[in-house]
């Protein structure tokens, strides 16, 4: 996996309801499902919040996905989703779900998402 890419984690309806996070480039085409949007033109002065901190506070959730690669082999990966999008991912509305969406890394399609393997919220002791 490549270097982390700057993303906006959009968690509210307002224009100022977001955090900048650095994470993998696995969210291409999944903005409406995950709430994560790649920053088109980073300026270098964006204050980034550690992903671990946003998971601990419940703003971001980690979910597991299972996808089928071009050879037909099932593989797994983890994605982040903004808390407000989690209900849609597991809901009935097909537009909010991740199933049948392409899973891409750095612009290369790795496969089609087959199913969600679960929700993981971080626990810190």
């Amino acid at each position: 996996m490549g270097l982390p890419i700057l993303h906006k984690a959009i968690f509210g309806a307002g224009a100022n309801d977001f955090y900048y996070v650095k994470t993998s480039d696995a969210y291409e085409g999944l903005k409406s499902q995950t709430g994560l949007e790649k920053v088109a033109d980073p300026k270098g002065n964006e204050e980034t919040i550690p992903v671990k901190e946003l998971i601990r506070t419940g703003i971001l959730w980690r979910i597991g996905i299972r996808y089928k690669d071009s050879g037909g082999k099932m593989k797994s990966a983890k994605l982040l989703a903004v808390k407000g999008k989690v209900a849609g991912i597991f809901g009935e509305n097909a537009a909010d779900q991740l199933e049948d969406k392409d899973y891409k890394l750095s612009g290369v399609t790795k496969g089609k998402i087959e199913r969600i393997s679960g929700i993981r919220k971080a626990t810190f002791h």
Side-chain angles (χ1 to χ4, degrees):
M1 200 162 320
L3 294 173
I5 308 291
L6 192 64
H7 284 79
K8 260 189 195 180
I10 304 162
F11 64 90
N16 295 325
D17 296 338
F18 64 87
Y19 290 109
Y20 288 111
V21 295
K22 286 190 176 180
T23 188
S24 71
D25 196 15
Y27 300 93
E28 185 179 339
L30 300 175
K31 175 188 168 191
S32 63
Q33 289 81 22
T34 63
L36 291 173
E37 172 184 19
K38 185 174 179 178
V39 177
D41 189 19
K43 296 171 181 54
N45 61 354
E46 297 90 349
E47 182 182 344
T48 61
I49 305 292
V51 169
K52 183 169 88 171
E53 182 66 25
L54 294 178
I55 290 174
R56 189 176 63 77
T57 57
I59 292 173
L60 287 180
W61 288 59
R62 184 177 293 128
I63 58 171
I65 62 167
R66 301 278 293 161
Y67 66 96
K68 194 175 282 188
D69 69 4
S70 60
K73 185 176 179 183
M74 289 297 284
K75 296 192 174 188
S76 61
K78 294 175 185 160
L79 290 177
L80 297 171
V82 176
K83 181 181 179 181
K85 298 288 187 173
V86 172
I89 290 172
F90 292 95
E92 298 295 319
N93 186 0
D96 293 335
Q97 295 176 353
L98 288 170
E99 286 89 345
D100 296 327
K101 304 283 189 290
D102 286 333
Y103 175 61
K104 299 179 182 180
L105 276 175
S106 301
V108 177
T109 301
K110 295 293 184 182
K112 194 157 291 284
I113 299 173
E114 295 282 320
R115 64 179 177 262
I116 308 301
S117 61
I119 235 178
R120 295 185 179 98
K121 187 174 179 192
T123 55
F124 295 89
H125 302 281

